[in-house]
Amino acid sequence: MGAGGRMQVSPPSKKSETDTIKRVPCETPPFTVGELKKAIPPHCFKRSIPRSFSYLIWDIIIASCFYYVATTYFPLLPHPLSYFAWPLYWACQGCVLTGVWVIAHECGHHAFSDYQWLDDTVGLIFHSFLLVPYFSWKYSHRRHHSNTGSLERDEVFVPKKKSDIKWYGKYLNNPLGRTVMLTVQFTLGWPLYLAFNVSGRPYDGGFACHFHPNAPIYNDRERLQIYISDAGILAVCYGLFRYAAAQGVASMVCFYGVPLLIVNGFLVLITYLQHTHPSLPHYDSSEWDWLRGALATVDRDYGILNKVFHNITDTHVAHHLFSTMPHYHAMEATKAIKPILGEYYQFDGTPVVKAMWREAKECIYVEPDRQGEKKGVFWYNNKL
């Protein structure tokens, strides 16, 4: 544990909850992005088409095996056993498809290969399969990476100021209210964000929808590709319609719908915990800069799921610093930059469910720093 009790990379089991919620530095770091890059072995920035495809193909094989087992053997199970078999299938398939989602997300960062057209082709196919508008998400997510930690310009999970909390907010700050809010967030949060920009940055001058080519999220050069994203979604929806017509709606829901809900839930959970933590600062325009914003993220530990999710969970700080780096080099890069980052590296090994509940309880709104002179630095609070 470093000076002031801030988070270092000691084993999670040796951390106390009190340690992990100490505020991290918000001053301009004593290092540059260039210095961080020099510390990383050069091969970590190299993208390999065979290696990138190997992870994607492996995920597809595993998902196909789960589908084959479910379609072939589940109908043969005695009735009571199906109540155990289906939830197991949903959980396993949802986790593996989340890994596919992560690889498609890497395509949007141009981290899959050296060829933009190949990245966009792979990303479009597999994000569309998971009902994600590829180019729409690619552009809004890129702006998130360009403006992380900014109260005015970040794209998603932008915290509210106390003055913006609705009158009914205090009635939700209790166990029942938090349970309801988390349930809605992890089941409907992703489609609500895509369709209505819920929890996203407020926009003036139009309907901020990821499916709308003329949405204010996009500039004129990007609008044609939003149509392509919509075409991909429509093609998959038509395929699902034909499948439901042939096999039944129940079959489509069981084999595809429920695992997709789990993918969406994991997506929201992962991104929520990466950017929401009592120790993380946010900045207004008087204090924000790209490096401090990129460092205002936290790595988490999901156990074996770290590997299933291609380490997007426990290498997120490095990902925000070098988003074109392939996931299979991110762990090595993280280890290389930790000595330089020092107290600026943020890791929390709190069990995920416990962390989710704590963050929902503690991180209600942000307010200006009261302990220092940086009025443009904001910290989470929950006193309503």
Side-chain angles (χ1 to χ4, degrees), residues 16-275:
S16 69
E17 185 172 347
T18 303
D19 290 331
T20 59
I21 60 175
K22 298 280 186 175
R23 289 181 176 179
V24 299
C26 61
E27 297 81 13
T28 301
F31 49 80
T32 66
V33 178
E35 290 170 340
L36 293 172
K37 188 172 184 179
K38 287 180 181 178
I40 299 173
H43 71 265
C44 290
F45 296 98
K46 295 181 179 179
R47 296 161 288 202
S48 165
I49 292 178
R51 190 168 182 183
S52 294
F53 267 112
S54 71
Y55 288 96
L56 177 60
I57 293 170
W58 177 250
D59 284 348
I60 294 171
I61 290 172
I62 298 299
S64 299
C65 288
F66 286 148
Y67 177 79
Y68 174 79
V69 169
T71 54
T72 305
Y73 297 106
F74 281 16
L76 306 178
L77 291 174
H79 184 65
L81 288 180
S82 63
Y83 290 111
F84 299 97
W86 279 112
L88 183 62
Y89 167 80
W90 293 332
C92 293
Q93 191 73 294
C95 289
V96 172
L97 292 180
T98 301
V100 174
W101 195 103
V102 171
I103 292 176
H105 151 265
E106 283 216 328
C107 291
H109 282 293
H110 195 21
F112 187 83
S113 76
D114 291 334
Y115 302 96
Q116 187 68 66
W117 67 268
L118 180 59
D119 287 24
D120 286 342
T121 300
V122 173
L124 177 64
I125 292 171
F126 289 97
H127 258 169
S128 296
F129 175 74
L130 296 172
L131 298 185
V132 179
Y134 170 71
F135 288 107
S136 310
W137 163 250
K138 170 183 173 178
Y139 293 132
S140 68
H141 188 61
R142 180 181 295 174
R143 292 183 175 93
H144 158 64
H145 272 258
S146 298
N147 299 284
T148 306
S150 168
L151 288 175
E152 291 95 352
R153 299 187 304 276
D154 202 351
E155 285 290 329
V156 69
F157 286 122
V158 182
K160 297 180 182 296
K161 297 179 181 179
K162 188 175 184 179
S163 59
D164 296 327
I165 298 294
K166 303 296 184 181
W167 63 268
Y168 52 81
K170 61 182 179 180
Y171 300 107
L172 296 175
N173 192 23
N174 55 66
L176 177 59
R178 285 191 289 274
T179 299
V180 172
M181 292 297 292
L182 288 171
T183 300
V184 172
Q185 180 173 318
F186 295 134
T187 55
L188 301 177
W190 176 239
L192 287 176
Y193 169 64
L194 290 178
F196 303 106
N197 198 39
V198 173
S199 83
R201 163 191 171 184
Y203 279 94
D204 296 325
F207 178 40
C209 170
H210 280 73
F211 303 100
H212 182 31
N214 291 321
I217 304 173
Y218 310 110
N219 59 46
D220 290 340
R221 292 177 298 175
E222 297 165 347
R223 302 195 193 284
L224 175 61
Q225 291 178 310
I226 310 307
Y227 284 107
I228 296 174
S229 297
D230 291 347
I233 298 296
L234 289 174
V236 172
C237 288
Y238 177 72
L240 292 173
F241 170 77
R242 293 296 300 268
Y243 181 93
Q247 303 295 329
V249 173
S251 176
M252 188 269 289
V253 170
C254 286
F255 290 116
Y256 177 84
V258 178
L260 183 65
L261 282 177
I262 293 174
V263 172
N264 292 347
F266 269 126
L267 165 63
V268 175
L269 174 65
I270 291 168
T271 53
Y272 173 70
L273 290 183
Q274 286 168 341
H275 296 282

Side-chain angles (χ1 to χ4, degrees), residues 299-320:
D299 286 350
R300 303 278 189 168
D301 184 10
Y302 286 67
I304 192 173
L305 291 180
N306 289 331
K307 294 298 181 184
V308 178
F309 297 159
H310 304 301
N311 295 106
I312 196 175
T313 46
D314 55 348
T315 63
H316 190 67
V317 175
H319 172 65
H320 261 273

